[in-house]
Amino acid sequence: MKILGIETSCDETSCAIVEDGYRVLANVIYSQIDLHAKTGGVVPEVAAREHVLKVTPVLDECLSKANLTLDDLDAIAITKGPGLISSLIIGTETASVISYLKNKILIPVHHVTGHVYANFLSPMMKDGKPVEAEEPNIEFPILVLTVSGGHNEILLMTDHNEFQILGETRDDAAGEAFDKVARILGLGYPGGPKISKAAENGNKNAFDLPRSFLETGSLDFSFSGLKTAVLTEIKEYIRENFPDEELNNYEAISSKLPEQFKSDMAASFQEAVVDVLTEKLLQAYLTLKSSGTNIKQLHLAGGVSANTRLREMISQKVETLKKSGEINDVEVCYPKSLAFCTDNAAMIASAGYYVYMKNPKAFKAHSNITPTTSFDIF
Ligand code: KG4
Ligand code: ZN
């Protein structure tokens, strides 16, 4: 079954064609990063206007890469929400028009469900060369850490499209914290990759930043205190070294910070975020284990799952716990391509496939999808 995925929930215009939920025939992503770098973050109206301009060329490129026409498709999967409403509308309208014109089944997909299914995708090209796609090896129940700019959850996935939220952020999502701290440090947008790069030359123990674990047993997250702690350290440095500087002008203060200070702060901040994400995920695993639920796979999903230090720390801790006999044989998985971590339409097409396969009669052609900003969309 060949499904066209369309994703326009934030600042990526993406169309993809995925076969049987995992074979990525094409995944075209037009990122608006350069546009939003000027403002240091996404301006919703600007993003929506750019989606209008790019959605048709991106669709054409996707069909041409897959060597298919709209008539060859079996269905269209579209991000219904959550996301920026003006951006979502462009995708849902595009999908609805194709559904009417070409008599194609329309499948609404939750954006976060899409991120989860990024782990099921298999690329068909590697380093510019064609490769054999691998069918996903799925062993439910799966524990998923979703870490992106807008969302941060620990999910228990018991079957396709069956989720239980075990923990979520009470304020900023991990990616949002990366973006805000990068902005305060004057590193640019999006913050995740910039912090990660700066951290390579930094000392992760240079600053003693707080780790917020909340109440005993809670699997929720909170990153706003960490962001404030970074700001406090920066202001202290400026106060000591540039006593006449205006402390509320972030652009001015970041320009006064030495490169080594920025790298050390980036490394210390990244370590604090990764520490909390790792601890909470393993705490969720151990809590489930003690109540008789044996998790076979830990999945990392969303933009922050591209973070090398996060992957490394989780894998290392799992290995240590395995050796000590505290945890069973559990596999750590993350998307097979960095392009599947951040927003992309292939993950939406994959989620659409599995959602559809669970109940094919629930979906029709000639239907409209109303986008929504709400997390509880279905
Ligand atoms: O999943 P995504 O593309 O969009 C949302 O659904 O929000 O995630 C974007 C987020 C941004 O906050 C970005 O800074 C973060 O993912 N990100 C990273 C890395 N690459 C992207 N964070 C940490 N390390 C990275 N390498
Ligand atoms: Zn996303």
Side-chain angles (χ1 to χ4, degrees):
M1 184 176 189
K2 293 188 188 73
I3 297 188
L4 167 69
I6 303 179
E7 156 64 39
T8 64
S9 69
C10 189
D11 59 342
E12 265 91 22
T13 318
S14 180
C15 293
I17 299 168
V18 176
E19 192 174 26
D20 298 338
Y22 72 98
R23 253 180 252 115
V24 183
L25 306 184
N27 185 30
V28 178
I29 305 165
Y30 166 73
S31 168
Q32 303 177 0
I33 282 176
D34 292 345
L35 193 66
H36 301 299
K38 292 177 201 149
T39 41
V42 179
V43 178
E45 286 72 16
V46 175
R49 260 182 254 137
E50 196 67 3
H51 284 307
V52 173
L53 295 176
K54 291 298 187 299
V55 72
T56 311
V58 166
L59 174 61
D60 285 345
E61 191 183 334
C62 171
L63 289 165
S64 131
K65 279 200 166 149
N67 207 10
L68 296 169
T69 68
L70 289 173
D71 295 315
D72 300 319
L73 302 170
D74 297 295
I76 306 163
I78 171 70
T79 307
K80 177 180 163 79
L84 302 172
I85 193 69
S86 47
S87 289
L88 288 164
I89 287 170
I90 313 306
T92 53
E93 283 298 307
T94 307
S96 300
V97 167
I98 304 171
S99 167
Y100 276 110
L101 287 178
K102 295 288 180 182
N103 196 24
K104 300 293 172 190
I105 294 160
L106 211 46
I107 311 161
V109 171
H110 192 297
H111 182 75
V112 176
T113 306
H115 275 300
V116 171
Y117 276 92
N119 272 299
F120 295 50
L121 294 170
S122 192
M124 298 193 67
M125 295 291 277
K126 200 166 183 205
D127 306 325
K129 293 192 191 108
V131 289
E132 199 65 44
E134 288 167 42
E135 210 167 325
N137 161 36
I138 307 160
E139 284 200 73
F140 293 117
I142 299 171
L143 198 54
V144 194
L145 175 69
T146 54
V147 265
S148 70
H151 302 284
N152 203 158
E153 292 91 21
I154 293 180
L155 305 172
L156 175 63
M157 185 179 189
T158 48
D159 194 358
H160 284 297
N161 205 30
E162 299 282 337
F163 301 101
Q164 207 180 312
I165 301 176
L166 303 182
E168 59 196 328
T169 184
R170 294 189 187 168
D171 40 57
D172 292 353
E176 194 179 352
F178 269 95
D179 293 337
K180 286 178 178 168
V181 166
R183 196 170 180 188
I184 307 170
L185 289 173
L187 292 174
Y189 175 86
K194 306 270 184 191
I195 295 252
S196 197
K197 183 96 193 70
E200 285 171 16
N201 307 314
N203 170 6
K204 61 184 181 344
N205 302 314
F207 295 96
D208 186 17
L209 297 174
R211 274 88 170 136
S212 171
F213 290 104
L214 303 168
E215 320 81 71
T216 311
S218 170
L219 293 174
D220 283 348
F221 300 95
S222 168
F223 291 111
S224 67
L226 174 59
K227 181 191 64 194
T228 309
V230 170
L231 190 56
T232 307
E233 291 280 359
I234 292 174
K235 285 186 175 175
E236 214 165 284
Y237 175 86
I238 296 291
R239 219 177 274 122
E240 271 172 30
N241 295 280
F242 304 94
D244 299 330
E245 191 61 55
E246 166 61 57
L247 286 173
N248 289 325
N249 182 346
Y250 295 164
E251 221 160 87
I253 62 176
S254 67
S255 70
K256 298 275 188 295
L257 300 173
E259 286 310 305
Q260 194 56 50
F261 180 101
K262 293 187 186 186
S263 295
D264 288 346
M265 183 57 85
S268 304
F269 163 79
Q270 175 175 265
E271 197 68 8
V273 175
V274 166
D275 244 357
V276 173
L277 294 174
T278 305
E279 283 305 313
K280 292 273 174 178
L281 182 65
L282 293 175
Q283 187 189 327
Y285 172 91
L286 292 170
T287 308
L288 288 166
K289 184 172 177 251
S290 65
S291 62
T293 305
N294 197 16
I295 299 289
K296 300 278 182 57
Q297 295 181 336
L298 299 177
H299 285 195
L300 315 184
V304 185
S305 70
N307 189 277
T308 315
R309 182 66 186 131
L310 177 67
R311 294 175 175 196
E312 184 184 70
M313 193 187 282
I314 293 180
S315 301
Q316 279 171 353
K317 292 222 165 153
V318 163
E319 280 315 307
T320 310
L321 288 169
K322 265 190 208 170
K323 279 190 194 128
S324 72
E326 269 187 83
I327 69 175
N328 304 346
D329 206 17
V330 64
E331 194 188 351
V332 180
C333 310
Y334 36 80
K336 293 188 184 72
S337 154
L338 284 182
F340 302 156
C341 294
T342 42
D343 289 349
N344 68 88
M347 68 187 197
I348 302 299
S350 172
Y353 172 79
Y354 289 100
V355 168
Y356 174 81
M357 292 309 269
K358 277 203 94 167
N359 188 9
K361 291 203 177 88
F363 305 96
K364 315 190 283 288
H366 301 272
S367 56
N368 268 324
I369 304 279
T370 311
T372 174
T373 56
S374 165
F375 191 84
D376 306 313
I377 57 176
F378 296 113

